[in-house]
Amino acid sequence: MPHFDPHYADKLRGSQGLADADSVLDLRGAARAAAEASLAELIERSRFGEAKAVAIRIAAPLPGAGETLFQPVGRALLEAKRKGHVTRLAPLPAGDGLGFFVRLAGRSGKP
């Protein structure tokens, strides 16, 4: 982000990353259907467990490769946030690569 002071650029990118996560869901190299199924399973299982933080990693776009997982994963996470299964959703810091930092509500979340 060349037009932002580095301090503010880091704030836009997110402050919690791989080191802060309880677990990591690595979707790099996964097909879209498999990635969506893995994410759906993670969210469904989280409803019955304790609240936890998860780093979700996605692959960087390759020139001419078409759509990445950013939009489908992002949409699924936003829907889970609307339903109360996700309490925090932010991008990973630039140093951790592409992806999202998610805090799952666990069984204390809304049904």
Side-chain angles (χ1 to χ4, degrees), residues 25 27 33-47 56 73 76-77 80 85:
L25 176 61
L27 300 176
E36 289 174 339
S38 294
L39 186 59
E41 182 180 354
L42 172 75
I43 293 168
E44 182 62 26
R45 285 180 176 225
S46 76
R47 294 177 51 217
I56 300 171
V73 168
L77 291 171
H85 305 308

